[in-house]
Amino acid sequence: MAAVQRIVIENCAIATVDADDTEYATGHVVVAGDRIESLGAGRAPEGLENVVRRIDGTGHLATPGLVNTHHHFYQWITRGLATDHNLFDWLVALYPTWARIDEQMVYAAAQGSLAMMARGGVTTAMDHHYVFPKGTGDLSGAIIRAARETGVRFTLARGSMDRSEKDGGLPPDFAVETLDGALAATEATVDEHHDASFGAMTQIAVAPCSPFSVSTELLTQGAELARRKGVRLHTHGSETVEEEQFCKELFGMGPTDYFESTGWLGEDVWMAHCVHMNDSDIAAFARTGTGVAHCPSSNARLAAGIARVPDMLAAGVPVGLGVDGTASNESGELHTELRNALLVNRLGAHREAALNARQALRLGTFGGAQVLGRAAEIGSLEPGKLADLVLWKLDTLAHASIADPVTALVLGAAAPVTLSLVGGLPVVENSRLLHVDEDAVARSTRAQAQRLARITARA
């Protein structure tokens, strides 16, 4: 057997985001194969064998790779539309366009979404795809192919909708699936693509879209399917005041109680947004270990409100960060969510005590790993964990006068990525993707956005 190859990074600041928040003002990280072998203060140990690369990290901060916990890749080709709408009006405005996506469009949009995240420090991505118009090709396969080509670790939350306009829902009738069709297609996606092994590059979750776009039967049977297959569950929850009113009118209870009645609270569940949560809701999430994907930019873009993240964390709720779809967060970057999570939450009841820079970094790394059920593998820099890490350049004009590197990363301008590793393999170097031609992706996404606009206009 060939000897394991090592990469040695030295002379950088390190924020491990381990249980003790261990940091080193100047230290080293040794990567052996796909794992972190060792790290600590000062220079790397002498006499390491088969070192294929040594990196001088002077002026840099090493952190775990960022983990995205909520997204809708297809929206990359509908950015900049309905910019002054709340959630329900925004959905009404955009569903007629989204209902006309096809495999070619979805592949290009996934490439754009993944490229933007990866070049900004994301090493584990996630997509909640729930729009499956009839006869439009293998949309799940296209998304997974784009993630594989980009080189990032990936969770596809195979979504679904079975409540269309004729049933009082928002999507057009031809853009939803039947109950049996959605369940069968979801199970087939799990069977074909889910990898449960340590270090898996592709995993699948069961993910009916939201309480107001799916039937109670799809939620209940979806939960049963996920647990029979041993995969995680994901959906939208408590995003707006209107959603709460909808649940009370239709089901006679609020969203959290409704989710619990359908089997949708538990350690294998995470929900996006969770903006409108009362004390009882937060206690239920904490009691059951249900996770939250906090999406501060999207919540602000759609005027949904400020999620009670400090209260969730104090109660013990697992919380990660999400980009959300780029029709409600046009930047498409997760590292900006570190900053926005801190700033937006300081506008809430806890003010300056809401979050600090290190808590924000934890949300975007270890918190995300918890939410995706992968905290034993990723989310912190520790020996034995997968070598998913980012080397941020902090010695330029944008950051050089900020003494604390974590503060510089979180509160400063977007930091350049000198190196991003996924399982020890470089994905980004000097802020450029290594496996994908960014310029070609930009041209493709523009062409597909224009094509979708033409098709929608004709319809």
Side-chain angles (χ1 to χ4, degrees):
M1 294 179 61
V4 65
Q5 294 186 336
R6 289 180 170 85
I7 297 173
V8 177
I9 305 171
E10 295 179 298
N11 305 321
C12 58
I14 302 172
T16 69
V17 200
D18 64 9
D20 299 318
D21 273 330
T22 305
E23 296 182 13
Y24 303 100
T26 180
H28 67 273
V29 181
V30 179
V31 173
D34 66 347
R35 309 289 177 93
I36 297 169
E37 183 175 62
S38 65
L39 73 163
R43 301 294 296 268
E46 297 292 334
L48 293 172
E49 297 182 353
N50 207 27
V51 175
V52 296
R53 186 172 183 187
R54 286 187 178 272
I55 299 166
D56 182 2
T58 302
H60 289 74
L61 170 67
T63 73
L66 301 184
V67 179
N68 183 40
T69 62
H70 186 66
H71 211 316
H72 307 296
F73 289 176
Y74 74 90
Q75 293 181 13
W76 187 266
I77 56 174
T78 60
R79 293 192 295 166
L81 305 176
T83 57
D84 303 308
H85 295 53
N86 65 27
L87 175 66
F88 274 33
D89 291 343
W90 175 83
L91 290 171
V92 169
L94 291 177
Y95 264 133
T97 299
W98 294 341
R100 290 169 173 83
I101 58 175
D102 60 21
E103 183 176 339
Q104 189 177 3
M105 295 175 192
V106 167
Y107 174 68
Q111 282 189 310
S113 298
L114 287 157
M116 200 69 193
M117 284 190 293
R119 69 196 296 271
V122 168
T123 55
T124 296
M126 175 273 183
D127 184 32
H128 184 194
H129 188 88
Y130 54 84
V131 183
F132 290 90
K134 297 177 178 64
T136 53
D138 182 8
L139 305 190
S140 294
I143 297 164
I144 290 169
R145 177 161 51 97
R148 186 178 299 119
E149 291 169 351
T150 307
V152 298
R153 217 171 293 285
F154 180 58
T155 294
L156 173 65
R158 204 290 181 183
S160 52
M161 298 184 292
D162 68 341
R163 187 193 295 275
S164 66
E165 288 175 325
K166 66 178 175 56
D167 304 310
L170 298 176
D173 295 340
F174 66 87
V176 304
E177 300 172 283
T178 64
L179 170 63
D180 291 342
L183 292 169
T186 301
E187 183 166 4
T189 304
V190 173
D191 289 343
E192 183 175 356
H193 296 291
H194 182 68
D195 181 358
S197 64
F198 188 98
M201 292 299 290
T202 305
Q203 295 196 331
I204 308 298
V206 175
C209 182
S210 66
F212 53 83
S213 60
V214 307
S215 64
T216 299
E217 292 77 15
L218 183 51
L219 276 178
T220 302
Q221 294 181 44
E224 293 169 353
L225 168 63
R227 291 177 177 128
R228 176 164 53 85
K229 290 292 182 178
V231 299
R232 297 182 74 75
L233 300 86
H234 180 60
T235 191
H236 297 88
S238 301
E239 185 172 358
T240 64
V241 171
E242 291 82 6
E243 178 187 333
E244 184 173 7
Q245 294 170 344
F246 175 91
C247 287
K248 287 181 177 178
E249 290 173 6
L250 204 61
F251 311 121
M253 63 187 89
T256 299
D257 290 336
Y258 176 61
F259 281 128
E260 187 154 33
S261 75
T262 57
W264 272 80
L265 294 186
E267 293 181 352
D268 54 356
V269 180
W270 85 104
M271 297 190 196
H273 303 293
C274 299
V275 175
H276 296 278
M277 302 268 282
N278 59 33
D279 290 346
S280 176
D281 297 329
I282 292 174
F285 272 53
R287 169 175 49 83
T288 58
T290 305
V292 171
H294 176 45
C295 306
S297 294
S298 176
N299 293 344
R301 161 79 149 80
L302 296 175
I306 302 173
R308 294 174 59 188
V309 172
D311 296 327
M312 294 178 193
L313 294 175
V317 176
V319 182
L321 292 181
V323 172
D324 204 8
T326 48
S328 64
N329 178 7
E330 275 74 4
S331 76
E333 297 177 304
L334 190 69
H335 63 301
T336 57
E337 299 307 289
L338 303 176
R339 186 174 194 264
N340 289 344
L342 187 156
L343 296 180
V344 168
N345 279 281
R346 287 188 178 184
L347 297 175
H350 295 274
R351 300 182 64 183
E352 70 276 5
L355 289 177
N356 60 41
R358 282 160 178 81
Q359 288 173 306
L361 178 59
R362 178 170 288 274
L363 291 177
T365 53
F366 188 79
Q370 282 185 298
V371 164
L372 295 184
R374 307 198 68 171
E377 303 170 86
I378 60 174
S380 60
L381 301 182
E382 301 180 68
K385 281 199 166 184
L386 294 166
D388 291 12
L389 63 87
V390 177
L391 201 58
W392 307 90
K393 187 173 178 59
L394 298 178
D395 60 358
T396 68
L397 173 64
H399 304 92
S401 60
I402 305 175
D404 175 42
V406 175
T407 296
L409 176 67
V410 173
L411 284 178
V417 173
T418 293
L419 179 68
S420 176
L421 300 179
V422 177
L425 299 176
V427 173
V428 177
E429 292 205 26
N430 298 316
S431 297
R432 295 293 294 183
L433 294 165
L434 297 181
H435 307 304
V436 176
D437 183 337
E438 295 178 29
D439 297 331
V441 171
R443 291 191 295 271
S444 175
T445 56
R446 182 174 179 82
Q448 292 303 318
Q450 293 172 337
R451 177 171 163 254
L452 177 58
R454 290 193 300 270
I455 291 171
T456 303
R458 287 198 298 269

